[in-house]
Amino acid sequence: MGKILVFVEFNHGQLKRSSLELLSAAQSSGQTVVAAAVGSLAEGISKEASQYGATDIYVIKETTFDKYNPELFTLGLTEIIKKSEASLVLATASALGKDLFPRVAARLDAGILSDCIELKISGDNVTAKRPIYSGKCFSKVTFENCPIKIVLMRPNQLPISVPNASATTNVIAHSVNAPSLRTLIKEVVKGTSEKLDLTEANIIVSGGRGMKEAGNFKFLEQLADVLGATVGASRAVVDAGWVTHDLQVGQTGKTVAPSLYIAVGISGAIQHLAGMSGSKVIVAINTDANAPIFQKATYGIVGDFADVLPKLTEEFKRAMA
Ligand SMILES: Cc1cc2nc3c(=O)[nH]c(=O)nc-3n(C[C@H](O)[C@H](O)[C@H](O)COP(=O)(O)OP(=O)(O)OC[C@H]3O[C@@H](n4cnc5c(N)ncnc54)[C@H](O)[C@@H]3O)c2cc1C
């Protein structure tokens, strides 16, 4: 029986939803599951990892692992993967995952599939589905002649299993003999938003050029507050300077797959769809009944945002109370 190592990411002492999805997928394959976490708080998530099937958790607790450094993380993860003897490594296709794991794959001479949206593990056979050409097509991919396989999954694609409250895990501390690093992260300046990052949000309320001006984003924020959602945007409004680039959804922005995506005043250009067409339910609000976004939408409202958004916000407020 093979062994699967899941590289887990966490926030405020809790595993990210995307890591729970990976642990659940690994567990449901019936293979042995181990986890790896890094940073001075890594050990704190071992209990939660065990509840989703990790029998062992490799932790690097050194404070140098609190901030992402590609050289250091590559060394640490390469060592842990070798030590664990895992034949399959699962990680999130997050900004960190997409930067780190191609480096790890090169060190280990491993095969790597990035940005996957479906995953099937059957014994040694691993197949995945990936969007190509900005989501216009999909490819089904598998590995050949790879003793070590690495799969990076997009968040919000896999179900989460029921946690086993009585499970325990064996914590294996690993220390890294850090080489003299060529780069050093001196400081991380956090954005001002307290909201969940777009890539992790379960509900997104997104605005486009049809919002007319930056000040009108307050209508989106009011609806987002009621729904517990994160605000996103099209590139047109980012280019106009109404919002910052970290809110941009699309080919040159973030790829998201929330349960609910509300697109307001967004026409539905292919480059925008590339970043959000994996959303489970899409609601479009647009004055133009022929806007392409309606072809992708589960529900559509033809109307002016200034009429529709305050009414929607009031209705949701009432319904959620
Ligand atoms: C290489 C490349 C990469 C790109 N990457 C991205 C990307 O990552 N993300 C992205 O979004 N775009 C990207 N674009 C740009 C993309 O092609 C579109 O130009 C952009 O998505 C359009 O944004 P929009 O829908 O907000 O604006 P528009 O296309 O101008 O649409 C505005 C919509 O608002 C509607 N509207 C107008 N008034 C109202 C009202 N009062 N109430 C409701 N609706 C109203 C209109 O009917 C219209 O459908 C990229 C383009 C290129 C070439």
Short mmCIF file of all heavy atoms in Angstrom, two decimals, residues 207-212 233-237 239 242 245 248-254 261 263-275 285-293 301 303-308, ligand 1:
data_model
loop_
_atom_site.label_atom_id
_atom_site.label_comp_id
_atom_site.label_asym_id
_atom_site.label_seq_id
_atom_site.Cartn_x
_atom_site.Cartn_y
_atom_site.Cartn_z
N GLY A 207 -17.65 42.99 -8.60
CA GLY A 207 -18.16 44.12 -9.36
C GLY A 207 -17.31 44.43 -10.58
O GLY A 207 -16.10 44.23 -10.59
N GLY A 208 -17.97 44.94 -11.63
CA GLY A 208 -17.27 45.30 -12.86
C GLY A 208 -17.51 46.75 -13.22
O GLY A 208 -18.03 47.53 -12.41
N ARG A 209 -17.15 47.08 -14.47
CA ARG A 209 -17.25 48.47 -14.93
C ARG A 209 -18.68 49.01 -14.84
O ARG A 209 -18.90 50.21 -14.73
CB ARG A 209 -16.74 48.55 -16.37
CG ARG A 209 -16.52 49.95 -16.82
CD ARG A 209 -15.63 50.13 -18.02
NE ARG A 209 -15.40 48.98 -18.84
CZ ARG A 209 -14.26 48.77 -19.51
NH1 ARG A 209 -13.28 49.62 -19.40
NH2 ARG A 209 -14.12 47.72 -20.27
N GLY A 210 -19.65 48.10 -14.90
CA GLY A 210 -21.06 48.51 -14.79
C GLY A 210 -21.40 49.13 -13.45
O GLY A 210 -22.48 49.69 -13.29
N MET A 211 -20.49 49.04 -12.47
CA MET A 211 -20.72 49.70 -11.17
C MET A 211 -20.52 51.22 -11.28
O MET A 211 -20.72 51.94 -10.32
CB MET A 211 -19.77 49.14 -10.10
CG MET A 211 -19.99 47.67 -9.73
SD MET A 211 -21.63 47.33 -9.10
CE MET A 211 -21.68 48.28 -7.60
N LYS A 212 -20.04 51.64 -12.43
CA LYS A 212 -19.93 53.08 -12.79
C LYS A 212 -18.79 53.86 -12.11
O LYS A 212 -18.11 54.63 -12.75
CB LYS A 212 -21.23 53.86 -12.54
CG LYS A 212 -22.46 53.26 -13.19
CD LYS A 212 -22.43 53.38 -14.69
CE LYS A 212 -23.73 52.89 -15.30
NZ LYS A 212 -23.55 52.39 -16.64
N ALA A 233 -13.48 41.66 -8.13
CA ALA A 233 -13.64 42.67 -9.17
C ALA A 233 -13.14 42.14 -10.51
O ALA A 233 -12.39 41.17 -10.57
CB ALA A 233 -12.85 43.93 -8.80
N SER A 234 -13.58 42.82 -11.58
CA SER A 234 -13.04 42.50 -12.91
C SER A 234 -11.78 43.34 -13.12
O SER A 234 -11.51 44.29 -12.38
CB SER A 234 -14.07 42.84 -13.99
OG SER A 234 -14.16 44.26 -14.10
N ARG A 235 -11.05 42.98 -14.16
CA ARG A 235 -9.83 43.73 -14.44
C ARG A 235 -10.10 45.18 -14.84
O ARG A 235 -9.30 46.07 -14.53
CB ARG A 235 -9.05 43.02 -15.56
CG ARG A 235 -7.82 43.77 -15.97
CD ARG A 235 -6.89 42.92 -16.76
NE ARG A 235 -5.93 43.72 -17.49
CZ ARG A 235 -4.96 43.22 -18.22
NH1 ARG A 235 -4.83 41.92 -18.34
NH2 ARG A 235 -4.13 44.00 -18.84
N ALA A 236 -11.25 45.40 -15.49
CA ALA A 236 -11.56 46.77 -15.94
C ALA A 236 -11.54 47.73 -14.76
O ALA A 236 -11.02 48.85 -14.88
CB ALA A 236 -12.92 46.78 -16.63
N VAL A 237 -12.07 47.31 -13.62
CA VAL A 237 -12.13 48.24 -12.49
C VAL A 237 -10.79 48.31 -11.74
O VAL A 237 -10.48 49.32 -11.13
CB VAL A 237 -13.31 47.93 -11.52
CG1 VAL A 237 -14.61 47.85 -12.27
CG2 VAL A 237 -13.09 46.68 -10.73
N ASP A 239 -7.91 48.12 -13.39
CA ASP A 239 -7.14 49.01 -14.26
C ASP A 239 -7.56 50.47 -14.07
O ASP A 239 -6.74 51.38 -14.20
CB ASP A 239 -7.33 48.62 -15.74
CG ASP A 239 -6.59 47.34 -16.09
OD1 ASP A 239 -5.80 46.87 -15.25
OD2 ASP A 239 -6.81 46.81 -17.20
N TRP A 242 -10.10 51.61 -9.24
CA TRP A 242 -11.19 51.65 -8.24
C TRP A 242 -10.87 50.73 -7.06
O TRP A 242 -11.25 51.02 -5.94
CB TRP A 242 -12.52 51.19 -8.85
CG TRP A 242 -13.04 52.05 -9.96
CD1 TRP A 242 -12.47 53.20 -10.45
CD2 TRP A 242 -14.21 51.82 -10.73
NE1 TRP A 242 -13.23 53.69 -11.47
CE2 TRP A 242 -14.31 52.87 -11.67
CE3 TRP A 242 -15.20 50.84 -10.73
CZ2 TRP A 242 -15.34 52.95 -12.59
CZ3 TRP A 242 -16.23 50.92 -11.64
CH2 TRP A 242 -16.30 51.97 -12.56
N HIS A 245 -5.33 45.28 -7.02
CA HIS A 245 -5.20 44.10 -7.86
C HIS A 245 -5.49 42.79 -7.11
O HIS A 245 -5.90 41.80 -7.73
CB HIS A 245 -3.80 44.05 -8.50
CG HIS A 245 -3.61 42.87 -9.39
ND1 HIS A 245 -2.94 41.73 -8.99
CD2 HIS A 245 -4.06 42.62 -10.65
CE1 HIS A 245 -2.97 40.85 -9.97
NE2 HIS A 245 -3.64 41.36 -10.98
N GLN A 248 -8.71 41.20 -8.02
CA GLN A 248 -9.03 40.84 -9.42
C GLN A 248 -9.21 39.34 -9.62
O GLN A 248 -8.37 38.54 -9.25
CB GLN A 248 -7.94 41.35 -10.36
CG GLN A 248 -8.28 41.09 -11.83
CD GLN A 248 -7.20 41.58 -12.78
OE1 GLN A 248 -6.63 42.65 -12.57
NE2 GLN A 248 -6.89 40.79 -13.78
N VAL A 249 -10.33 39.02 -10.26
CA VAL A 249 -10.63 37.63 -10.60
C VAL A 249 -10.41 37.46 -12.10
O VAL A 249 -10.84 38.31 -12.88
CB VAL A 249 -12.11 37.31 -10.26
CG1 VAL A 249 -12.50 35.94 -10.77
CG2 VAL A 249 -12.35 37.42 -8.76
N GLY A 250 -9.76 36.38 -12.49
CA GLY A 250 -9.61 36.13 -13.93
C GLY A 250 -8.25 35.62 -14.31
O GLY A 250 -7.41 35.32 -13.46
N GLN A 251 -8.05 35.57 -15.61
CA GLN A 251 -6.83 34.99 -16.18
C GLN A 251 -5.57 35.62 -15.62
O GLN A 251 -4.59 34.94 -15.36
CB GLN A 251 -6.88 35.20 -17.70
CG GLN A 251 -5.78 34.54 -18.47
CD GLN A 251 -5.90 34.84 -19.96
OE1 GLN A 251 -7.02 34.97 -20.49
NE2 GLN A 251 -4.79 34.98 -20.63
N THR A 252 -5.58 36.94 -15.43
CA THR A 252 -4.40 37.61 -14.89
C THR A 252 -4.65 38.06 -13.45
O THR A 252 -3.91 38.87 -12.92
CB THR A 252 -4.02 38.82 -15.78
OG1 THR A 252 -5.21 39.54 -16.12
CG2 THR A 252 -3.32 38.39 -17.03
N GLY A 253 -5.69 37.50 -12.86
CA GLY A 253 -5.98 37.75 -11.44
C GLY A 253 -6.03 36.42 -10.71
O GLY A 253 -5.26 35.52 -11.01
N LYS A 254 -7.00 36.29 -9.80
CA LYS A 254 -7.08 35.06 -9.02
C LYS A 254 -8.10 34.09 -9.63
O LYS A 254 -9.07 34.51 -10.24
CB LYS A 254 -7.48 35.39 -7.59
CG LYS A 254 -6.34 36.09 -6.86
CD LYS A 254 -6.63 36.35 -5.42
CE LYS A 254 -5.40 36.96 -4.76
NZ LYS A 254 -5.69 37.68 -3.54
N TYR A 261 -21.06 32.82 -6.56
CA TYR A 261 -20.34 33.97 -7.15
C TYR A 261 -21.39 34.92 -7.72
O TYR A 261 -22.16 34.55 -8.62
CB TYR A 261 -19.41 33.48 -8.26
CG TYR A 261 -18.48 34.56 -8.80
CD1 TYR A 261 -17.23 34.78 -8.25
CD2 TYR A 261 -18.87 35.36 -9.88
CE1 TYR A 261 -16.38 35.77 -8.74
CE2 TYR A 261 -18.02 36.35 -10.38
CZ TYR A 261 -16.78 36.55 -9.80
OH TYR A 261 -15.93 37.52 -10.28
N ALA A 263 -21.94 38.16 -9.81
CA ALA A 263 -21.22 39.06 -10.73
C ALA A 263 -22.13 40.25 -11.05
O ALA A 263 -23.19 40.07 -11.65
CB ALA A 263 -20.86 38.31 -12.00
N VAL A 264 -21.69 41.43 -10.64
CA VAL A 264 -22.54 42.62 -10.82
C VAL A 264 -21.87 43.59 -11.79
O VAL A 264 -20.72 44.00 -11.56
CB VAL A 264 -22.77 43.33 -9.47
CG1 VAL A 264 -23.84 44.41 -9.62
CG2 VAL A 264 -23.17 42.35 -8.38
N GLY A 265 -22.57 43.91 -12.89
CA GLY A 265 -21.99 44.85 -13.87
C GLY A 265 -20.73 44.32 -14.51
O GLY A 265 -19.81 45.06 -14.82
N ILE A 266 -20.69 43.00 -14.69
CA ILE A 266 -19.54 42.34 -15.33
C ILE A 266 -20.06 41.68 -16.61
O ILE A 266 -21.04 40.93 -16.56
CB ILE A 266 -18.92 41.27 -14.39
CG1 ILE A 266 -18.28 41.96 -13.18
CG2 ILE A 266 -17.90 40.41 -15.13
CD1 ILE A 266 -17.68 41.01 -12.15
N SER A 267 -19.41 41.97 -17.75
CA SER A 267 -19.96 41.49 -19.02
C SER A 267 -19.75 39.99 -19.22
O SER A 267 -20.56 39.34 -19.88
CB SER A 267 -19.31 42.26 -20.18
OG SER A 267 -17.90 42.09 -20.15
N GLY A 268 -18.65 39.44 -18.65
CA GLY A 268 -18.40 38.00 -18.82
C GLY A 268 -17.40 37.72 -19.92
O GLY A 268 -17.53 36.75 -20.67
N ALA A 269 -16.37 38.57 -20.02
CA ALA A 269 -15.30 38.33 -21.00
C ALA A 269 -14.61 37.01 -20.66
O ALA A 269 -14.55 36.62 -19.49
CB ALA A 269 -14.28 39.48 -20.94
N ILE A 270 -14.07 36.36 -21.70
CA ILE A 270 -13.46 35.04 -21.52
C ILE A 270 -12.36 35.06 -20.45
O ILE A 270 -12.22 34.12 -19.67
CB ILE A 270 -12.93 34.48 -22.88
CG1 ILE A 270 -12.44 33.05 -22.76
CG2 ILE A 270 -11.84 35.35 -23.48
CD1 ILE A 270 -13.52 32.04 -22.68
N GLN A 271 -11.63 36.20 -20.39
CA GLN A 271 -10.54 36.28 -19.40
C GLN A 271 -11.09 36.37 -17.98
O GLN A 271 -10.43 35.97 -17.04
CB GLN A 271 -9.65 37.50 -19.68
CG GLN A 271 -8.92 37.45 -21.00
CD GLN A 271 -9.70 38.07 -22.14
OE1 GLN A 271 -10.86 38.43 -21.99
NE2 GLN A 271 -9.05 38.18 -23.29
N HIS A 272 -12.28 36.91 -17.81
CA HIS A 272 -12.89 36.93 -16.47
C HIS A 272 -13.44 35.54 -16.13
O HIS A 272 -13.21 35.02 -15.04
CB HIS A 272 -14.01 37.99 -16.38
CG HIS A 272 -14.50 38.18 -14.98
ND1 HIS A 272 -13.83 38.94 -14.04
CD2 HIS A 272 -15.56 37.64 -14.31
CE1 HIS A 272 -14.46 38.89 -12.89
NE2 HIS A 272 -15.52 38.10 -13.02
N LEU A 273 -14.11 34.94 -17.12
CA LEU A 273 -14.69 33.60 -16.90
C LEU A 273 -13.59 32.60 -16.52
O LEU A 273 -13.83 31.68 -15.74
CB LEU A 273 -15.42 33.11 -18.15
CG LEU A 273 -16.62 33.97 -18.62
CD1 LEU A 273 -17.21 33.38 -19.89
CD2 LEU A 273 -17.68 34.06 -17.53
N ALA A 274 -12.40 32.80 -17.07
CA ALA A 274 -11.28 31.86 -16.80
C ALA A 274 -11.02 31.75 -15.30
O ALA A 274 -10.56 30.72 -14.83
CB ALA A 274 -10.02 32.34 -17.51
N GLY A 275 -11.34 32.81 -14.56
CA GLY A 275 -11.03 32.80 -13.14
C GLY A 275 -12.17 32.39 -12.24
O GLY A 275 -11.98 32.16 -11.05
N ILE A 285 -25.93 39.98 -12.44
CA ILE A 285 -26.83 41.14 -12.42
C ILE A 285 -26.28 42.12 -13.46
O ILE A 285 -25.13 42.56 -13.35
CB ILE A 285 -26.86 41.81 -11.02
CG1 ILE A 285 -27.31 40.79 -9.96
CG2 ILE A 285 -27.75 43.05 -11.02
CD1 ILE A 285 -27.11 41.26 -8.53
N ASN A 286 -27.07 42.40 -14.48
CA ASN A 286 -26.55 43.20 -15.59
C ASN A 286 -27.73 43.85 -16.32
O ASN A 286 -28.79 43.24 -16.45
CB ASN A 286 -25.78 42.27 -16.55
CG ASN A 286 -24.84 43.03 -17.46
OD1 ASN A 286 -25.27 43.92 -18.18
ND2 ASN A 286 -23.57 42.68 -17.42
N THR A 287 -27.55 45.08 -16.78
CA THR A 287 -28.63 45.77 -17.50
C THR A 287 -28.83 45.20 -18.91
O THR A 287 -29.90 45.37 -19.49
CB THR A 287 -28.30 47.28 -17.64
OG1 THR A 287 -26.93 47.40 -18.01
CG2 THR A 287 -28.57 48.04 -16.36
N ASP A 288 -27.80 44.55 -19.44
CA ASP A 288 -27.87 44.04 -20.82
C ASP A 288 -28.22 42.55 -20.81
O ASP A 288 -27.41 41.71 -20.44
CB ASP A 288 -26.49 44.27 -21.49
CG ASP A 288 -26.43 43.71 -22.90
OD1 ASP A 288 -27.48 43.25 -23.40
OD2 ASP A 288 -25.33 43.73 -23.49
N ALA A 289 -29.43 42.25 -21.26
CA ALA A 289 -29.90 40.85 -21.25
C ALA A 289 -29.05 39.96 -22.14
O ALA A 289 -29.06 38.73 -22.00
CB ALA A 289 -31.36 40.80 -21.71
N ASN A 290 -28.29 40.56 -23.06
CA ASN A 290 -27.46 39.76 -23.97
C ASN A 290 -26.00 39.65 -23.50
O ASN A 290 -25.16 39.14 -24.24
CB ASN A 290 -27.48 40.36 -25.38
CG ASN A 290 -28.85 40.28 -25.99
OD1 ASN A 290 -29.51 39.24 -25.89
ND2 ASN A 290 -29.31 41.39 -26.57
N ALA A 291 -25.70 40.13 -22.32
CA ALA A 291 -24.31 40.06 -21.83
C ALA A 291 -23.89 38.58 -21.74
O ALA A 291 -24.66 37.74 -21.27
CB ALA A 291 -24.20 40.74 -20.47
N PRO A 292 -22.67 38.26 -22.19
CA PRO A 292 -22.21 36.84 -22.20
C PRO A 292 -22.24 36.17 -20.83
O PRO A 292 -22.38 34.96 -20.75
CB PRO A 292 -20.77 36.94 -22.72
CG PRO A 292 -20.63 38.29 -23.32
CD PRO A 292 -21.68 39.19 -22.77
N ILE A 293 -22.16 36.95 -19.76
CA ILE A 293 -22.13 36.36 -18.41
C ILE A 293 -23.40 35.53 -18.17
O ILE A 293 -23.37 34.53 -17.46
CB ILE A 293 -21.98 37.47 -17.32
CG1 ILE A 293 -21.74 36.87 -15.93
CG2 ILE A 293 -23.18 38.41 -17.27
CD1 ILE A 293 -20.37 36.41 -15.66
N ILE A 301 -30.32 38.28 -13.23
CA ILE A 301 -31.25 39.38 -13.00
C ILE A 301 -30.90 40.48 -13.99
O ILE A 301 -29.76 40.98 -13.97
CB ILE A 301 -31.13 39.94 -11.55
CG1 ILE A 301 -31.40 38.82 -10.53
CG2 ILE A 301 -32.08 41.12 -11.34
CD1 ILE A 301 -31.15 39.24 -9.08
N GLY A 303 -31.10 44.02 -14.75
CA GLY A 303 -31.47 45.24 -14.02
C GLY A 303 -30.25 46.06 -13.64
O GLY A 303 -29.10 45.62 -13.81
N ASP A 304 -30.54 47.25 -13.14
CA ASP A 304 -29.49 48.19 -12.75
C ASP A 304 -29.03 47.84 -11.33
O ASP A 304 -29.87 47.65 -10.44
CB ASP A 304 -30.10 49.61 -12.79
CG ASP A 304 -29.04 50.69 -12.66
OD1 ASP A 304 -28.18 50.56 -11.77
OD2 ASP A 304 -29.09 51.65 -13.44
N PHE A 305 -27.72 47.79 -11.13
CA PHE A 305 -27.19 47.44 -9.80
C PHE A 305 -27.77 48.35 -8.71
O PHE A 305 -28.03 47.92 -7.58
CB PHE A 305 -25.65 47.51 -9.78
CG PHE A 305 -25.12 48.91 -9.72
CD1 PHE A 305 -24.94 49.57 -8.50
CD2 PHE A 305 -24.81 49.61 -10.88
CE1 PHE A 305 -24.48 50.87 -8.44
CE2 PHE A 305 -24.37 50.91 -10.84
CZ PHE A 305 -24.20 51.55 -9.61
N ALA A 306 -27.99 49.63 -9.08
CA ALA A 306 -28.44 50.60 -8.07
C ALA A 306 -29.86 50.27 -7.58
O ALA A 306 -30.23 50.63 -6.46
CB ALA A 306 -28.38 52.01 -8.64
N ASP A 307 -30.65 49.58 -8.42
CA ASP A 307 -31.99 49.15 -7.99
C ASP A 307 -31.90 47.80 -7.28
O ASP A 307 -32.53 47.58 -6.25
CB ASP A 307 -32.93 48.94 -9.21
CG ASP A 307 -33.23 50.24 -9.91
OD1 ASP A 307 -33.19 51.28 -9.23
OD2 ASP A 307 -33.49 50.19 -11.13
N VAL A 308 -31.13 46.90 -7.91
CA VAL A 308 -31.16 45.49 -7.47
C VAL A 308 -30.39 45.27 -6.17
O VAL A 308 -30.89 44.57 -5.27
CB VAL A 308 -30.59 44.58 -8.60
CG1 VAL A 308 -30.57 43.13 -8.15
CG2 VAL A 308 -31.38 44.74 -9.88
C1 LIG B 1 -4.44 39.20 -21.73
C2 LIG B 1 -5.68 39.66 -21.02
C3 LIG B 1 -5.90 39.29 -19.72
C4 LIG B 1 -7.05 39.71 -19.05
N1 LIG B 1 -7.26 39.30 -17.76
C5 LIG B 1 -8.42 39.63 -17.15
C6 LIG B 1 -8.70 39.17 -15.82
O1 LIG B 1 -7.90 38.51 -15.16
N2 LIG B 1 -9.89 39.50 -15.28
C7 LIG B 1 -10.84 40.24 -15.94
O2 LIG B 1 -11.91 40.51 -15.39
N3 LIG B 1 -10.58 40.71 -17.19
C8 LIG B 1 -9.39 40.45 -17.78
N4 LIG B 1 -9.14 40.95 -19.02
C9 LIG B 1 -10.05 41.98 -19.56
C10 LIG B 1 -11.31 41.44 -20.21
O3 LIG B 1 -11.07 41.14 -21.55
C11 LIG B 1 -12.45 42.47 -20.10
O4 LIG B 1 -12.03 43.66 -20.71
C12 LIG B 1 -12.89 42.77 -18.67
O5 LIG B 1 -13.16 41.58 -17.99
C13 LIG B 1 -14.16 43.61 -18.74
O6 LIG B 1 -14.52 43.97 -17.43
P1 LIG B 1 -16.04 44.30 -17.10
O7 LIG B 1 -16.89 43.12 -17.39
O8 LIG B 1 -16.06 44.87 -15.74
O9 LIG B 1 -16.37 45.52 -18.07
P2 LIG B 1 -17.25 45.60 -19.36
O10 LIG B 1 -16.89 44.54 -20.35
O11 LIG B 1 -17.22 47.01 -19.81
O12 LIG B 1 -18.72 45.23 -18.85
C14 LIG B 1 -19.49 46.05 -18.05
C15 LIG B 1 -20.88 45.41 -17.93
O13 LIG B 1 -21.66 46.17 -17.03
C16 LIG B 1 -22.99 46.21 -17.52
N5 LIG B 1 -23.64 47.39 -16.92
C17 LIG B 1 -23.53 48.69 -17.32
N6 LIG B 1 -24.27 49.50 -16.48
C18 LIG B 1 -24.80 48.66 -15.55
C19 LIG B 1 -25.64 48.90 -14.42
N7 LIG B 1 -26.05 50.14 -14.10
N8 LIG B 1 -26.01 47.83 -13.68
C20 LIG B 1 -25.63 46.57 -14.00
N9 LIG B 1 -24.83 46.30 -15.07
C21 LIG B 1 -24.43 47.33 -15.83
C22 LIG B 1 -22.83 46.27 -19.01
O14 LIG B 1 -24.01 45.81 -19.66
C23 LIG B 1 -21.64 45.37 -19.24
O15 LIG B 1 -22.06 44.04 -19.51
C24 LIG B 1 -7.99 40.54 -19.71
C25 LIG B 1 -7.77 40.91 -21.03
C26 LIG B 1 -6.63 40.49 -21.69
C27 LIG B 1 -6.43 40.89 -23.12
#
